[in-house]
Each structure stands twice: as C-alpha cells, then as structure tokens.
C-alpha cells in the first residue's frame, strides 16, 4: 500500500487538534482512523484526547502484532483499547493488508469506515454500526462499548485497487458518485495518494459548510437537518500495488 492522508480539524479555538485521529504504519501495511465522540464536551471532556491515545496505542500494537506474523486488526484494537486510559470515547476503523492472501482485514466500530474502489467504481462500502441516528457504537472506558462489538471483515483486493478510509466528517459530506468522479479523474492524471486524499477532504469540507446542499448527512437525518455537517474530516487513501 502506498498511503496518503489529510486531516482538517473543524475551527474550534478550544480544541485546535479537533477530535479525530489517525495512524499509518507503512512498514506493516496497517492504517486506522478514530473519531472522538463530541457529546462528551457537555461533561467537560475532550474526546479527541481519547481518540489520539487510542491511535497512538494502535500504532504500537501494530508493531507488537507484526512480531507474531500477520497483523490482526481486532487484536490491535483489543490491545490499544486495554492501554487507553483517557476519558471519553471514539469510533474507529483499523485496516491491514495481508500480502499473502491478497486481502484487506478490517476491524470497525461505529460510523467511521471505508470504501474499496476498483477501476474508478466503489465495489464495497463498510456498514455503519449505530443504535440510532447520531448514536454510533463507540469504544471508551465510561459505559461505552468494548472491542467485542467490532465488525470484522476480510475482502479480496487486486493490484491498482484504491482503499479510502474516513471518519464521518468525510462520509457525511460527500456522495459515492462524487468520490467515483474524483477518483476516475485522479487515475487518469496519475495523482498521488496524498493529493487524492486532499481533493476528497476539501470537497467534503466545502459541502459541510453548505447549509442547503443535498448530502449523505441530510438524507440520513430523514428531514431533521438540511445541508452538510460541520465536523473534523479525516481521509486516508491507500493505493494497492
């Protein structure tokens, strides 16, 4: 995997780092995103701290896992969760490339997720885990979920497939048809992974500020909200080679 990423924290002077976090372990072909749950702010807790600690511990656990052979994202998540002590909670999605089997192996909790794209067409979108609109499954230490709820997936991949991983700040603000259009253009122009992540993230950002746009978020709300959702936006793009 050749990987590039973009992180656009929403403008909040009290939380300049935002509530998203991610990691990229190129050597062991493993990537992950996390999105701290904003509701904790009512209790004076910055869930971004939890998300960042979870991703830091996932990076460390990826190395530990690799020493046993293939990286198992669910075990990475279990180890990282066990060692994350901050208050708050977060959604997360961790994906590794298994070069022996030519598959991606996934552990996903909540409403972060990924697209698998082949020849400019989205062939798989990860399902959302939520108890209701705006209430995703989430890992945490205070009456939250634990890694046993993680959805485990294994999908076959081919050379030149593109993996696009994001938090809900991306997924809520850009339609699959928009992604496919941008990806097809990127393929034609030999755009690097980092630049493609930037293009996707910035379109999602633009849509998030449009109060009247038709977005995945407004559709999912079934009329409760119009336009985009202003949020932290994380995009990781991985070219499978």
């Amino acid at each position: 995997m050749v990987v590039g990423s973009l992180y656009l924290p929403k403008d909040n002077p009290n939380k300049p780092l935002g509530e998203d976090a991610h990691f990229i372990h190129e050597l062991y072909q493993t990537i992950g995103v996390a999105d701290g749950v904003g509701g904790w702010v009512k209790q004076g807790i910055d869930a971004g701290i939890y998300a960042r600690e979870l991703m830091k511990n996932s990076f460390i656990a990826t190395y530990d896992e690799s020493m046993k052979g293939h990286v198992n994202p669910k075990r990475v998540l279990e180890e990282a969760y066990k060692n994350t002590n901050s208050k708050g909670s977060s959604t997360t999605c961790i994906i590794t490339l298994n070069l022996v089997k030519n598959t991606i192996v996934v552990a996903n909790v909540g409403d972060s997720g990924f697209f698998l794209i082949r020849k400019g067409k989205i062939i798989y979108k990860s399902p959302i885990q939520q108890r209701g609109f705006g209430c995703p499954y989430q890992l945490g230490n205070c009456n939250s979920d634990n890694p046993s709820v993680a959805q485990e997936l294994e999908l076959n991949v081919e050379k030149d497939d593109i993996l696009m991983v994001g938090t809900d700040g991306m997924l809520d603000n850009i339609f699959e048809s928009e992604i496919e259009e941008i990806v097809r253009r990127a393929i034609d122009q030999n755009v690097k992974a980092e630049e493609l992540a930037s293009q996707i993230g910035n379109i999602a950002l633009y849509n998030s500020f449009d109060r009247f746009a038709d977005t995945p978020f407004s559709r999912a709300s079934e009329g409760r909200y119009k336009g985009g959702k202003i949020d932290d936006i994380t995009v990781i793009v991985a070219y499978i080679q």
Side-chain angles (χ1 to χ4, degrees), residues 1 25 32 47 63-64 66 69 73 95 102 126-127 144-145 184 186 205 224 226-227:
M1 288 195 298
H25 209 314
Y63 173 79
D64 294 343
S66 69
I95 304 177
N102 287 324
S126 58
S144 298
D145 297 303
R184 282 196 285 268
L205 178 68
R224 277 172 282 183
K226 288 181 179 174

Side-chain angles (χ1 to χ4, degrees), residues 28 62-72 75 96 98:
Y28 299 118
T62 297
Y63 173 79
D64 294 343
E65 264 293 296
S66 69
M67 297 299 104
K68 302 173 192 169
H70 298 305
V71 174
N72 179 316
R75 287 205 302 261
T96 193
N98 185 321

